[in-house]
Amino acid sequence: MILSDQAHVPYEDWAILFYGKDFMKPFKTFRQQLKILRSRGLIINNGSRATRILETENYYSLINGYKDIFLQVNNTGKVITPEQYKNGVTFEEIYYLFCFDRELRNILIEYLLKFESSIKSKISYRFSEEHKEPNAYLQMGNFSRDPGKLKKILQLIATISNLISKNADRNGPIKHYLDNHDGVPIWVLVNYLTIGNIQYFFDCLDSSLQNSIAKDFAIPFNKSYNLTIQFTSDELANVLKTVNYFRNVCAHEERLYSFRIHKPARSAQISNHLNINSSHLDRGNIFTVVSFLKLVIKKEDHKSLIRKLKRLFDNYNPKFSSVNITDVMNKMGFPANWESYY
């Protein structure tokens, strides 16, 4: 069916085709929603407070997003159907987990942005140092000569060209440089690039530039921790890939605490650099990205991140009763002795 057929299809059938059968679930009042939750064993101590929460927080995001850890499971670990909550689970606990995750996103994004700013600065500096001609980032010859990356390089140049074009008539740095200097320096341009664009940019660079940028991260790390690691461009690419996933989760306010990368980056060398068992790092979860950040942000910033996470865990520990804060931390990939790694 094409869009022009919409007028000839009953609304209900069209909605199912485009949104799935869940679209047809009938509207439920807050009172009805709470009644359904009670029927599944959820304890709601204060219906008025629960209603006020649902008035400000979307039911789907709150309940469907954070109920999993509170549901009964069978011997194989699968949630039983129809859904039933574990004994003693309260509405407040689900809401506390929701709030915990919101605070977690706010904490993590601060340090992901520190890395993002740092790698943008290093890429723009090293690229400009190597390629001094105007608009050098629009020339294919200034990127990798690997034939397997040709398509990616063309896509990168097209993305940058479109970005400049879209901002050419908008008041701002890009318009200023186009009007007054006939080109946009890369150190200005990188501020408009997403972390995904930056991942692409780094991947398209020739190996010598990639290695220089990786070394720019290794030098302060070695100095701060009194080590002599060789931080390779492949390892930096793995960190960048991991950060990109979590940056997007935070930016879109998606559920973070249990997020895992489907195909996480694996690096035995990063495990050696951090002196953390690879089994803890290869899962692509919160513990992975927190550990990876140690390599690419300042030592004092990483210690600040760890302090804030510990404070978050301590603050929410007494708020849960049917589950434990360690259950939440396990979902995040934090081993029992996680603090000893930092």
Side-chain angles (χ1 to χ4, degrees):
M1 186 184 72
I2 58 176
L3 291 177
S4 60
D5 290 332
Q6 288 180 19
H8 307 290
V9 179
Y11 175 74
E12 292 82 1
D13 294 339
W14 176 85
I16 290 175
L17 284 170
F18 280 83
Y19 297 101
K21 292 183 178 179
D22 284 346
F23 178 83
M24 297 309 299
K25 288 183 177 179
F27 168 79
K28 296 287 193 301
T29 65
F30 295 131
R31 184 187 295 266
Q32 290 171 324
Q33 291 171 355
L34 296 179
K35 183 177 180 181
I36 291 172
L37 293 174
R38 284 191 173 104
S39 73
R40 295 174 180 171
L42 184 65
I43 298 171
I44 302 173
N45 294 312
N46 189 325
S48 296
R49 181 169 184 265
T51 298
R52 289 195 298 273
I53 290 172
L54 292 177
E55 287 174 347
T56 57
E57 307 295 353
N58 180 274
Y59 177 94
Y60 180 84
S61 299
L62 174 61
I63 301 300
N64 287 19
Y66 294 90
K67 66 183 178 181
D68 291 358
I69 197 172
F70 300 103
L71 294 174
Q72 293 185 26
V73 297
N74 59 24
N75 293 335
T76 63
K78 292 185 178 181
V79 173
I80 65 172
T81 55
E83 290 179 354
Q84 283 291 314
Y85 287 92
K86 297 175 182 176
N87 292 334
V89 177
T90 67
F91 179 92
E92 287 76 14
E93 284 185 277
I94 298 178
Y95 181 60
Y96 286 143
L97 182 57
F98 174 85
C99 294
F100 169 91
D101 203 45
R102 177 175 281 168
E103 291 189 40
L104 178 65
R105 285 194 301 268
N106 290 338
I107 290 171
L108 185 61
I109 191 66
E110 176 184 351
Y111 298 93
L112 295 178
L113 289 175
K114 287 180 183 293
F115 166 64
E116 183 176 330
S117 176
S118 179
I119 195 166
K120 283 180 176 180
S121 177
K122 290 172 173 57
I123 286 177
S124 62
Y125 181 88
R126 291 301 179 188
F127 190 86
S128 298
E129 180 183 48
E130 184 76 14
H131 306 292
K132 297 181 174 61
E133 65 273 21
N135 305 315
Y137 46 77
L138 297 178
Q139 300 177 34
M140 288 177 53
N142 291 334
F143 293 96
S144 172
R145 302 302 175 90
D146 181 352
K149 293 185 177 181
L150 177 59
K151 183 178 179 181
K152 183 175 286 190
I153 292 170
L154 290 172
Q155 290 174 334
L156 174 66
I157 293 174
T159 296
I160 293 175
S161 298
N162 289 335
L163 188 153
I164 294 173
S165 178
K166 288 179 180 178
N167 289 276
D169 296 321
R170 301 175 183 174
N171 288 330
I174 286 182
K175 183 178 187 302
H176 169 79
Y177 275 93
L178 288 175
D179 291 346
N180 296 282
H181 304 284
D182 299 323
V184 183
I186 188 172
W187 57 85
V188 172
L189 180 67
V190 291
N191 293 317
Y192 290 81
L193 298 179
T194 67
I195 189 67
N197 296 150
I198 289 296
Q199 183 184 347
Y200 246 63
F201 201 113
F202 182 79
D203 192 43
C204 290
L205 294 174
D206 63 56
S207 58
S208 63
L209 270 179
Q210 288 179 337
N211 289 330
S212 294
I213 295 165
K215 188 175 180 180
D216 287 337
F217 282 103
I219 290 173
F221 177 83
N222 284 332
K223 184 177 180 180
S224 296
Y225 294 96
N226 195 27
L227 297 171
T228 55
I229 71 162
Q230 298 295 319
F231 190 40
T232 69
S233 59
D234 286 342
E235 291 160 9
L236 178 55
N238 283 340
V239 173
L240 187 51
K241 173 185 176 182
T242 302
V243 166
N244 185 23
Y245 278 112
F246 283 91
R247 170 76 166 83
N248 288 334
V249 170
C250 291
H252 294 99
E253 295 189 331
E254 297 172 0
R255 184 178 61 202
L256 177 63
Y257 87 99
S258 60
F259 176 77
R260 292 180 63 173
I261 299 172
H262 180 58
K263 292 183 179 180
R266 287 180 168 82
S267 174
Q269 279 303 107
I270 290 181
S271 175
N272 292 335
H273 297 335
L274 297 172
N275 196 27
I276 299 175
N277 192 299
S278 60
S279 64
H280 295 315
L281 292 182
D282 290 347
R283 299 171 186 171
N285 48 30
I286 292 286
F287 182 75
T288 302
V289 72
V290 168
S291 300
F292 280 10
L293 281 173
K294 184 177 180 179
L295 290 164
V296 291
I297 63 176
K298 294 178 181 178
K299 182 178 182 179
E300 56 265 34
D301 286 334
H302 195 263
K303 286 188 174 298
S304 172
L305 168 60
I306 298 305
R307 285 196 301 270
K308 289 180 181 179
L309 288 175
K310 186 177 185 304
R311 190 179 306 123
L312 180 69
F313 299 153
D314 290 343
N315 287 345
Y316 275 86
N317 184 34
K319 296 182 185 294
F320 299 112
S321 56
S322 63
V323 298
N324 195 285
I325 191 65
T326 56
D327 297 320
V328 178
M329 293 171 65
N330 286 339
K331 286 282 188 179
M332 298 168 64
F334 281 72
N337 60 335
W338 70 276
E339 289 181 76
S340 65
Y341 292 123
Y342 306 126

